[in-house]
Amino acid sequence: MEGCSKCGGKVFYTRRYSGESLCSPCFSASITEKTRRTIAKHDMIRHGERVGVAVSGGKDSLSLLKVLHDLSAGHGSHLVAISVDEGVAGYRDEALEHVKSLSAQLGVEYLTVSYKDLFGFSLDEALNWGGKEKRDVSSCSFCGVFRRRAIDEAAVKAGVTVVATAHNLDDYVQTFMMNLLHGDVSRLGWMDPAYSDDSFEIRRVKPFMEIYEEEVALFAFQAGVPFQSVSCPYMHEGLRTEVRDYLNRMEAEHPGMKNVLLRSSLDVISRYAGTDRRASVSCAVCGRPSSSAVCSVCRMKETIKQHINYTG
Ligand code: SF4
Ligand code: ZN
């Protein structure tokens, strides 16, 4: 059997889409290098910046923290790990412990914010009414709106100028497909890697957006990143699961198809970039940038308020 394409060592992983075989150290180095190139190509992180890394405690985000830490010397950047505690009993605690210990190990600043402190209720409390069949949004759509705001609040608190999230290539192309399937073509412009919200000073970037999910998982395994044993009891992905399965089948039959879809997505997205600027007014309730008179966070808070004994 042939050895590693780079050093001739014992093969650990073969990239079916490129035919490249890599030993374990060369594979890890390739992930770090690929991330560095993505960052440079899309001008994601600038020299000397204070960078927030959104770390949920899952394998992808812990790997991102590790890779960005390895790259931080070259970028002259200073990292702050940012975590959100949604308040789901028995689920988030384990993940937050992982974030805390990896941050300490790497000597990275660590900041956590909670739904309870920011919004006045935990996710458990927010979802504990009516039964999910009575709510017109899924738990994850609900949670996602608050999570995004929580990360923004944490980023402001941490004094960072950019926030990196661990979305990988699979996440990116799935979102692209979901927007098409939902008929949300106008949202495509928001997916532009260079997109920035005019009225929110902090940029959002996805340094893993050119790396397959499978490769991030392998990197995590190799790097000894802990895997979470409990999953969120509210997880509801619906259509996304079907899209993921479909794309995985396509990739198995036609290696490299996800890479092609990424390139096509970026091409289409670039044509929509800047055509639908999201934030135009200030929310009448909280003052944050919003595309409607009252932002989605405040609207959802209002709905929750009507259903639970809310004091926030
Ligand atoms: Fe929130 Fe869904 Fe993630 Fe649970 S799985 S923490 S509900 S986004
Ligand atoms: Zn608001």
Side-chain angles (χ1 to χ4, degrees), residues 149 282-290 293-299:
R149 173 65 58 87
S282 294
C283 166
V285 181
C286 70
R288 283 279 182 194
S290 169
V294 176
C295 75
S296 46
V297 170
C298 290
R299 273 183 281 134

Side-chain angles (χ1 to χ4, degrees), residues 86 88 91-92 123 127 139-140 143-144 147 232 234-236:
E86 299 90 347
V88 179
Y91 161 63
R92 206 35 112 199
L123 189 63
L127 294 177
S139 321
C140 292
C143 181
R147 154 99 52 69
C232 176
Y234 304 116
M235 171 103 68
H236 170 80

Side-chain angles (χ1 to χ4, degrees), residues 1-304:
M1 184 176 141
E2 303 252 322
C4 168
S5 315
K6 301 232 183 265
C7 74
K10 185 165 173 271
V11 173
F12 165 76
Y13 178 68
T14 297
R15 287 199 166 111
R16 287 185 65 217
Y17 59 80
S18 65
E20 191 180 26
S21 292
L22 296 168
C23 69
S24 171
C26 288
F27 169 74
S28 281
S30 77
I31 297 295
T32 307
E33 175 56 18
K34 216 169 173 180
T35 310
R36 191 192 64 72
R37 285 205 306 262
T38 303
I39 291 172
K41 193 183 346 172
H42 300 292
D43 190 24
M44 290 180 171
I45 295 173
R46 298 165 192 166
H47 192 81
E49 258 190 318
R50 207 170 147 80
V51 183
V53 188
V55 195
S56 65
K59 61 178 174 24
D60 290 15
S61 61
L62 291 172
S63 299
L64 179 66
L65 184 62
K66 217 164 179 318
V67 170
L68 291 185
H69 177 259
D70 288 346
L71 293 171
S72 61
H75 286 139
S77 53
H78 180 94
L79 304 183
V80 184
I82 291 174
S83 294
V84 178
D85 182 359
E86 299 90 347
V88 179
Y91 161 63
R92 206 35 112 199
D93 311 348
E94 181 196 13
L96 292 178
E97 274 312 310
H98 292 329
V99 186
K100 224 186 267 176
S101 76
L102 183 62
S103 302
Q105 191 190 317
L106 299 174
V108 167
E109 225 179 298
Y110 169 63
L111 173 78
T112 174
V113 291
S114 71
Y115 281 12
K116 186 81 181 173
D117 289 345
L118 291 174
F119 310 118
F121 45 77
S122 66
L123 189 63
D124 277 339
E125 287 164 342
L127 294 177
N128 187 23
W129 53 268
K132 69 176 176 213
E133 56 291 338
K134 293 203 186 130
R135 295 190 296 268
D136 56 359
V137 277
S138 77
S139 321
C140 292
S141 314
F142 216 75
C143 181
V145 168
F146 290 113
R147 154 99 52 69
R148 196 179 162 85
R149 173 65 58 87
I151 290 175
D152 285 353
E153 297 283 344
V156 170
K157 207 162 150 187
V160 300
T161 43
V162 58
V163 174
T165 54
H167 296 94
N168 55 47
L169 187 150
D170 292 54
D171 296 324
Y172 196 83
V173 294
Q174 283 160 21
T175 304
F176 176 78
M177 296 280 289
M178 303 261 301
N179 279 327
L180 294 187
L181 294 170
H182 281 136
D184 284 335
V185 178
S186 63
R187 283 172 174 251
L188 291 178
W190 304 354
M191 293 186 70
D192 189 73
Y195 176 85
S196 67
D197 205 323
D198 289 342
S199 41
F200 189 61
E201 63 283 9
I202 299 167
R203 294 165 2 254
R204 300 181 184 93
V205 296
K206 302 177 176 67
F208 276 172
M209 60 174 279
E210 295 181 318
I211 302 180
Y212 277 29
E213 179 162 23
E214 168 188 311
E215 296 197 7
V216 177
L218 269 180
F219 176 89
F221 171 73
Q222 249 191 323
V225 163
F227 278 64
Q228 202 175 349
S229 57
V230 193
S231 34
C232 176
Y234 304 116
M235 171 103 68
H236 170 80
E237 294 199 302
L239 187 61
R240 185 176 283 271
T241 309
E242 290 176 51
V243 170
R244 173 186 296 130
D245 292 349
Y246 167 72
L247 292 175
N248 284 343
R249 273 202 313 278
M250 293 294 283
E251 179 69 25
E253 284 165 32
H254 312 278
M257 191 127 277
K258 286 184 197 169
N259 272 325
V260 175
L261 184 55
L262 175 70
R263 283 202 300 277
S264 304
S265 312
L266 287 170
D267 188 356
V268 173
I269 286 165
S270 69
R271 292 160 202 250
Y272 282 92
T275 56
D276 182 34
R277 307 305 295 176
R278 202 180 326 199
S280 46
V281 294
S282 294
C283 166
V285 181
C286 70
R288 283 279 182 194
S290 169
S291 52
S292 51
V294 176
C295 75
S296 46
V297 170
C298 290
R299 273 183 281 134
M300 283 195 186
K301 267 172 81 170
E302 190 52 39
T303 312
I304 292 165

